[in-house]
Amino acid sequence: MCVGHGFTPSLELATAAGRASVEVTGGTFVGVDDNQLTSAPAVYAAGEVTGIGGAAAAHAEGVVAGYAAAGRADLITARTSRARVAAHHFSTRLATAHPIGDGWQTWLEDTTVVCRCEATTLGQLRGAHSAEDSARATRLNTRAGLGPCQARFCGANVDAICGRRAADRTVASGLPAATPQNRPIAQPIRLGELAGHDGR
């Protein structure tokens, strides 16, 4: 059996585009209007970056964003709009009915791996953390959250184990300090560079 909780979207591209993030139950996501327009001019977002809603929500959002970005919002059908709203209502009800309870920390043992990338265990994390430590100091001491995923999977759990409240994890950008979105990995590239030097 496989159980998954607390999905975290990849916000690197949205961060590079200068979008605004919003804190909602379950994570940090990109805020959009009814046409999927972000706070950055002419930048639209669709899919899990706007909220974990599944394939149906992502498809409906993509259709809306595509038409709106092309300047043809008039082609967005009432059926597509209803599908988009219904998909988000479902995901919201699901998150409300099955929240992640606070008791999960008591299920762990010292040998439980908290950060898979760096193989950091609960015992190592607790041993390295004190009330005076910053989240950054704890991560540097244990390598938790510094692996290939850059805390995308373990960041929120590390913060919860260290007893940090959501307010303490929020930085000026509006993103939790544990997440990697303030370290964009993408940069603009010319079409000619993609085509190759010969222009093909």
Side-chain angles (χ1 to χ4, degrees):
M1 179 176 69
C2 178
V3 178
H5 284 293
F7 298 111
T8 303
S10 298
L11 300 179
E12 289 89 351
L13 290 177
T15 298
R19 92 291 167 269
S21 64
V22 292
E23 289 282 350
V24 297
T25 301
T28 303
F29 304 102
V30 177
V32 295
D33 65 11
D34 290 341
N35 285 334
Q36 301 299 128
L37 178 65
T38 70
S39 63
V43 176
Y44 294 81
E48 309 292 36
V49 295
T50 66
I52 305 301
H59 179 267
E61 287 179 353
V63 171
V64 170
Y67 279 128
R72 296 305 309 268
D74 57 303
L75 295 179
I76 300 171
T77 65
R79 180 178 181 179
T80 298
S81 295
R82 286 195 302 270
R84 172 181 172 271
V85 172
H88 278 286
H89 281 174
F90 173 76
S91 63
T92 300
R93 291 194 301 270
L94 189 65
T96 301
H98 302 284
I100 302 174
D102 289 333
W104 65 267
Q105 294 97 328
T106 63
W107 306 340
L108 310 182
E109 299 178 353
D110 281 345
T111 56
T112 301
V113 175
V114 177
C115 172
R116 293 179 294 174
C117 295
E118 295 295 325
T120 304
T121 65
L122 176 66
Q124 292 171 324
L125 194 61
R126 284 177 172 166
H129 177 73
S130 68
E132 293 77 26
D133 285 338
S134 66
R136 182 175 184 275
T138 301
R139 289 189 182 87
L140 288 175
N141 288 334
T142 63
R143 299 289 303 164
L146 300 181
C149 88
Q150 289 292 290
R152 183 171 292 114
F153 296 104
C154 71
N157 293 337
V158 170
D159 285 352
I161 290 168
C162 291
R164 300 185 185 281
R165 297 171 299 144
D168 297 330
R169 299 197 306 269
T170 303
V171 293
S173 65
L175 294 169
T179 61
Q181 285 75 13
N182 56 357
R183 305 173 76 177
I185 59 172
Q187 63 182 11
I189 185 171
R190 295 183 178 86
L191 290 177
E193 294 173 331
L194 290 174
H197 296 297
D198 57 3
R200 289 184 296 176

